[in-house]
Amino acid sequence: MNIAIDGPAGAGKSTIAKLVAKNLGSIYVDTGAMYRAMALFMIKNNVDSGDIEAIEKTCENADISIVYEDGAQHVILNGEDVTPFLRTEEVGNMASVSSANQCVRTKLVALQQKLAKTTSVVMDGRDIGTVVLPDAECKIYLTASTHTRALRRYKELLEKADGDKSKVAALEEIEKDIADRDYRDMHREHSPLMQAKDAHLVDSSDMTIDEVVREIMRIAKK
Ligand code: DC
């Protein structure tokens, strides 16, 4: 059984998908990490986010694969494990831009489909239910209000900075960043973020992590 979880940035997809995968004994596949690895490669090669030709050319030289260690996904970029470098704002913003490129998408969708062929997966991203796994047995569109998502991100960053507010961007700035990223992800030409027709909508704005996991397990078992 494959479960597709799509939704905007900061909706809690990875946290939830990991727990659902654990409950079901499935493999968790974080597709955002693959787009982030590609973005990191663009940054390392000094590619300008507006230079479509350079994005396409650079994409051809990126070899991205996935390995699992103790159940955790690691992304290998041209032979190097880049997992620790993927979750920065810079990489996230570049990923939102470079992922709009069809060359990037074709390469990574093929990798994602190959992974789901051999094993049961819980896969999260933006186009899993619509493009990558259109036949997934269970599709979830997980969202939350922009403000809630920004607040969650702010708290996460503050925790990482040991509570030092001076090291963290203002909440309004984070909220604007999230709104910009939503707009780009939802309005791009190729595989824009949207709720698949047969996906169940779960709004986690006023739900705890446990409640969301239980709701998805209930839907999956139907
Ligand atoms: O989920 P995330 O924040 O790690 O994703 C980073 C970017 O990658 C996101 O802004 C859009 C892109 N992405 C995508 O286009 N398709 C996916 N299936 C997953 C992520």
Side-chain angles (χ1 to χ4, degrees), residues 31-32 35-36 87 95-96 99 105 125-127 181 185 188:
T31 64
Y35 287 95
R36 283 171 183 264
R87 302 225 61 89
S96 170
S99 63
R105 303 208 71 81
R126 304 292 189 286
D127 59 340
R181 179 128 35 122
D185 292 350
R188 65 185 177 210

Side-chain angles (χ1 to χ4, degrees), residues 3 5 10-24 28 122-124 140 142-143 152 202 204 207-217:
I3 300 187
I5 303 183
K13 296 186 299 296
S14 60
T15 307
I16 302 295
K18 259 184 221 159
L19 291 167
V20 172
K22 201 171 165 199
N23 276 349
L24 294 171
Y28 164 56
V122 178
M123 191 178 280
D124 78 354
I140 305 291
L142 182 63
T143 190
R152 286 178 188 164
V202 178
S204 73
M207 292 169 86
T208 63
I209 292 173
D210 265 7
E211 284 170 341
V212 177
V213 172
R214 253 184 280 137
E215 174 65 0
I216 294 179
M217 292 300 293

Side-chain angles (χ1 to χ4, degrees), residues 63-200:
D63 179 38
I64 293 175
S65 58
I66 295 293
V67 294
Y68 285 88
E69 268 172 37
D70 299 326
Q73 174 182 296
H74 289 253
V75 187
I76 312 297
L77 168 65
N78 293 343
E80 185 197 351
D81 183 353
V82 292
T83 314
F85 314 115
L86 301 180
R87 302 225 61 89
T88 66
E89 298 303 296
E90 186 194 14
V91 172
N93 285 330
M94 179 53 128
S96 170
V97 177
S98 54
S99 63
N101 189 280
Q102 189 55 50
C103 167
V104 171
R105 303 208 71 81
T106 304
K107 200 162 187 165
L108 297 183
V109 167
L111 172 63
Q112 292 152 16
Q113 289 176 332
K114 200 169 140 201
L115 279 166
K117 244 192 188 145
T118 49
T119 180
S120 290
V121 297
V122 178
M123 191 178 280
D124 78 354
R126 304 292 189 286
D127 59 340
I128 311 306
T130 50
V131 175
V132 182
L133 304 176
D135 299 327
E137 287 80 0
C138 172
K139 296 182 188 178
I140 305 291
Y141 189 84
L142 182 63
T143 190
S145 71
T146 314
H147 185 67
T148 303
R149 290 184 283 131
L151 206 56
R152 286 178 188 164
R153 185 74 189 127
Y154 179 73
K155 283 182 185 161
E156 201 180 296
L157 291 171
L158 200 59
E159 212 175 284
K160 270 192 198 155
D162 293 322
D164 185 348
K165 283 188 182 170
S166 70
K167 288 187 182 155
V168 175
L171 178 61
E172 297 74 42
E173 212 177 297
I174 295 175
E175 193 162 337
K176 185 182 174 307
D177 235 42
I178 285 186
D180 288 350
R181 179 128 35 122
D182 283 357
Y183 187 86
R184 275 198 302 270
D185 292 350
M186 289 173 181
H187 292 86
R188 65 185 177 210
E189 186 186 352
H190 307 294
S191 313
L193 168 65
M194 63 166 98
Q195 184 179 342
K197 281 196 185 76
D198 49 350
H200 298 263

Side-chain angles (χ1 to χ4, degrees), residues 45-60:
N45 282 282
N46 297 314
V47 171
D48 187 287
S49 58
D51 190 344
I52 296 173
E53 253 177 56
I55 290 179
E56 267 184 34
K57 244 197 165 134
T58 309
C59 165
E60 284 169 18

